[in-house]
């Protein structure tokens, strides 16, 4: 059992960004600091500092829980930290949903709700590290506050990313609006000097509302020089004139070269368009909505039953691998052509779900029903029982099939926390963000996802 001093250090702890590692490690001697934020843009060294802090905490015999909204974020930290838990100190890697005991329950109307299970007491941990905290919404933060007990929390994240979808109206992700002591990193190490992507991200970080919405011509002084003569061009920052077909052709070409490439857009409709385009380019006219061994994405946080019958919560953006697929109709909706897909998640767990053959049509039907419900409510005077019945019918239809998507393209929201070899950004679709601040944050997220190459796609501006 670890020992926790009840007396703070005689010296006051003050975040020192000029010596971030020493400052962060100094927290171990200041139990009066219950929460802190390690803040910085992509590539500023947050993960490296977190690993150093974790190693120091474990060397003191402290118990630590490392959490994140998704398994992919956990995997990055786990690969960086190595086998720190071999010294005998309790060390847990788990998602926020799991550590908080959040469970999926089915409502009477057929919908699912994520609710707390037996109230967890996290006091047996000395520290809880919450990585990718910019992705954590207000509800999860509230649940963490209720469960933390005396555990101290280190929030690690990027304040320049987009807030979670349910908090998009906020100027910053919810955790950064809290008055916690903050250790800020401002130097980017991933790309330095005159690297074009580094210069772009620095420009976006210095953006102010008074500057107005950035345009290609305002961001790239030499835009014509960024246009490649052909797809053999190896530039690190490129502009691809044309529409979705040209962007798809580049994605397919880079993929065949061995790149882990992703197209990023704003709207789900645009993402679905790219996914259909590249799926047919890769596999031809298959009769199945997905292909065996294909890696696909979970579009929304949802629940699944494992092969052992356990009901699990899977967060949006989770990467899944198709193991097997065959036709099967849903017993309640036999009129909808569907397939059963056997999947494996990033932890090695396996389960199966039903997916409609035409996911776009299914989503449109669900959206139409929800639109009808809103219209009835706004009109007033409608029978409450009729609205409740339609609501139940709609939720049942929505939850009857799993929200799976191909992984060739994704929204900029769901790309947060991920890294790819090459990223193609649909500038035209990203420009649909209504607020300038959100648009700039989306550009920043997109620009900080690639390891090697960033490509923008859109008509050449004049």
């Amino acid at each position: 059992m670890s020992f926790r001093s009840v007396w703070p250090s005689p010296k006051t702890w003050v975040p020192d960004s000029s010596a971030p590692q020493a400052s962060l490690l100094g927290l171990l001697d200041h139990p009066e600091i219950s929460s802190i934020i390690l803040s910085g843009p992509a590539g500023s060294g947050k993960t490296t500092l977190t690993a150093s802090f974790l190693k120091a905490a474990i060397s003191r015999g402290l118990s630590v829980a490392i959490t994140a909204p998704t398994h992919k974020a956990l995997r990055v930290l786990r690969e960086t930290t190595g086998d720190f838990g071999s010294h005998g100190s309790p060390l847990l890697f788990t998602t926020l949903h799991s550590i908080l005991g959040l469970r999926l329950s089915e409502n009477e109307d057929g919908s699912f709700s994520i609710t707390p299970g037996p109230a967890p007491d996290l006091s047996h941990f000395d520290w809880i590290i919450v990585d990718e905290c910019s992705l954590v919404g207000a509800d999860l933060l509230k649940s963490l506050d209720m469960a933390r007990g005396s555990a101290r929390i280190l929030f690690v994240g990027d304040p320049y990313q987009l807030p979670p979808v349910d908090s998009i109206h906020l100027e910053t992700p919810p955790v950064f609006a809290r008055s916690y002591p903050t250790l800020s990193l401002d130097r980017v190490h991933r790309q330095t000097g005159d690297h074009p992507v580094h210069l772009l991200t620095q420009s976006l970080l210095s953006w102010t509302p008074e500057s107005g919405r950035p345009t290609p011509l305002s961001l790239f002084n030499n835009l014509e020089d960024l246009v490649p003569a052909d797809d053999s061009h190896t530039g690190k920052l490129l502009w691809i004139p044309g529409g979705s077909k040209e962007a798809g052709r580049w994605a397919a070409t880079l993929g065949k070269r061995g790149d882990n490439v992703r197209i990023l857009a704003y709207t789900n409709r645009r993402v679905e368009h790219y996914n259909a385009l590249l799926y047919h380019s890769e596999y031809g006219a298959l009769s199945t909505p997905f292909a065996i061994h294909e890696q696909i994405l979970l579009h929304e946080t949802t629940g699944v039953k494992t092969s052992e019958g356990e009901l699990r919560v899977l967060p949006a953006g989770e990467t899944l691998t198709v193991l097997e697929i065959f036709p099967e109709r849903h017993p309640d909706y036999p009129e909808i052509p569907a397939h059963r897909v056997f999947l494996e998640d990033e932890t090695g767990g396996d389960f199966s779900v039903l997916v409609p053959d035409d996911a776009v049509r299914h989503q449109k039907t669900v959206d139409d029903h929800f639109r009808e419900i809103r219209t009835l409510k706004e009109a007033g005077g409608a029978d409450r029982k009729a609205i409740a019945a339609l609501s139940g019918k709609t939720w049942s239809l929505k939850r009857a099939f799993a929200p799976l998507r191909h992984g060739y393209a994704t929204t900029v929201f769901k790309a947060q926390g991920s890294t790819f070899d090459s990223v193609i950004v649909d500038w035209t679709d990203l420009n649909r963000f209504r607020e300038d601040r959100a648009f700039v944050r989306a550009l920043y997220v997109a620009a900080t996802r690639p390891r090697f190459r960033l490509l923008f796609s859109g008509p050449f501006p004049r």
Side-chain angles (χ1 to χ4, degrees):
M1 183 174 182
S2 60
F3 172 76
R4 186 179 308 173
S5 172
V6 295
W7 298 106
S9 169
K11 294 182 179 180
T12 302
W13 184 84
V14 178
D16 184 0
S17 298
S18 64
Q21 181 166 336
S23 183
L24 189 62
L25 297 184
L27 271 175
L28 297 172
D29 297 320
H30 286 269
E32 76 277 10
I33 306 295
S34 62
S35 300
I36 180 179
I37 298 173
L38 177 58
S39 163
S44 58
K46 297 187 298 296
T47 300
T48 301
L49 277 180
T50 301
S52 297
F53 177 82
L54 176 61
K55 187 174 183 178
I58 289 177
S59 69
R60 295 192 181 199
L62 302 179
S63 59
V64 184
I66 302 177
T67 70
T70 65
H71 287 293
K72 62 186 175 185
L74 280 177
R75 185 178 65 249
V76 172
L77 249 184
R78 197 165 206 161
E79 291 171 352
T80 304
T81 56
D83 191 21
F84 289 170
S86 61
H87 301 287
S89 294
L91 177 60
L92 174 69
F93 283 86
T94 187
T95 62
L96 268 176
H97 287 90
S98 179
I99 198 172
L100 293 175
L102 299 184
R103 296 181 176 180
L104 204 75
S105 59
E106 189 170 2
N107 303 321
E108 290 184 1
D109 63 0
S111 65
F112 288 95
S113 298
I114 298 176
T115 57
D121 180 8
L122 303 181
S123 294
H124 54 284
F125 291 108
D126 296 295
W127 280 94
I128 300 172
I129 298 176
V130 182
D131 195 27
E132 294 291 351
C133 65
S134 61
L135 306 181
V136 181
D139 288 343
L140 275 182
L141 279 177
K142 183 178 179 181
S143 296
L144 184 59
D145 286 337
M146 296 174 62
R148 65 181 295 178
S150 58
R152 303 169 71 187
I153 301 180
L154 172 61
F155 292 99
V156 183
D158 185 344
Y160 304 103
Q161 291 197 148
L162 287 160
V165 176
D166 60 359
S167 305
I168 190 59
H169 61 285
L170 301 177
E171 291 190 0
T172 189
V175 69
F176 294 102
R178 298 194 169 194
S179 57
Y180 296 148
T182 300
L183 181 60
S184 300
L185 308 177
D186 53 16
R187 183 180 176 184
V188 177
H189 303 282
R190 183 182 299 169
Q191 296 152 344
T192 57
D194 59 355
H195 192 293
V197 178
H198 171 72
L199 296 176
L200 171 61
T201 55
Q202 290 302 114
S203 176
L204 294 172
L205 288 173
S206 63
W207 177 86
T208 61
E210 295 75 25
S211 308
R213 177 166 295 210
T215 66
L217 294 177
S218 69
L219 284 176
F220 312 113
N221 295 326
N222 56 339
L223 188 60
E224 291 186 0
D225 295 339
L226 300 182
V227 178
D230 53 55
D231 56 21
S232 65
H233 197 289
T234 58
K236 298 173 182 177
L237 178 64
L238 300 175
W239 183 277
I240 309 170
S244 59
K245 288 186 178 180
E246 186 65 7
R249 188 180 69 81
W250 271 85
T253 299
L254 291 172
K256 289 176 182 176
R257 292 179 188 170
D259 272 19
N260 175 17
V261 59
R262 192 65 50 89
I263 299 178
L264 302 186
Y266 171 44
T267 61
N268 287 318
R269 179 177 296 181
R270 196 64 169 168
V271 166
E272 289 162 355
H273 170 73
Y274 280 120
N275 278 332
L277 185 70
L278 286 163
Y279 180 65
H280 290 299
S281 172
E282 178 75 15
Y283 295 103
L286 286 182
S287 60
T288 56
F290 301 105
I292 295 176
H293 305 310
E294 180 186 359
Q295 287 199 325
I296 59 180
L297 300 176
L298 191 63
H299 183 61
E300 300 175 6
T301 297
T302 191
V304 297
K305 281 188 178 180
T306 66
S307 55
E308 290 79 23
E310 176 191 1
L311 193 62
R312 287 183 51 199
V313 177
L314 287 180
E318 197 78 352
T319 300
L320 308 168
T321 302
V322 178
L323 303 177
E324 191 177 355
I325 182 169
F326 57 84
E328 182 180 323
R329 301 290 177 121
H330 193 286
D332 295 332
Y333 305 98
E335 72 281 6
I336 300 177
H339 278 73
R340 180 163 294 280
V341 187
F342 288 83
L343 299 159
E344 182 178 74
D345 66 17
E346 296 186 56
T347 68
D350 61 280
F351 51 88
S352 70
V353 295
L354 280 174
V355 295
D357 288 0
D358 191 340
V360 174
R361 182 177 180 181
H362 176 258
Q363 186 61 51
K364 183 180 184 305
T365 302
V366 170
D367 290 343
D368 288 345
H369 285 332
F370 279 128
R371 194 174 297 110
E372 182 181 355
I373 292 170
R374 287 195 298 271
T375 301
L376 289 173
K377 289 181 176 179
E378 291 169 0
D383 186 348
R384 289 187 177 181
K385 289 185 177 180
I387 293 177
L390 180 57
S391 177
K393 174 184 175 183
T394 305
W395 277 108
S396 295
L397 177 62
K398 177 179 176 64
R399 298 303 187 190
F401 301 97
L404 301 181
R405 298 291 185 271
H406 296 288
Y408 307 102
T410 189
T411 64
V412 69
F413 284 102
K414 292 184 175 62
Q416 296 187 124
S418 298
T419 304
F420 312 100
D421 295 333
S422 296
V423 166
I424 300 175
V425 183
D426 187 322
W427 179 284
T428 303
D429 198 56
L430 229 61
N431 206 31
R432 293 177 184 272
F433 272 93
R434 294 182 180 179
E435 296 182 359
D436 292 348
R437 185 184 301 276
F439 173 66
V440 172
R441 285 181 182 271
L443 281 178
Y444 167 79
V445 170
T448 52
R449 297 311 94 199
R451 292 186 183 90
F452 308 122
R453 188 178 293 107
L454 175 64
L455 306 92
F456 287 96
S457 170
F460 192 85
R462 300 296 180 185

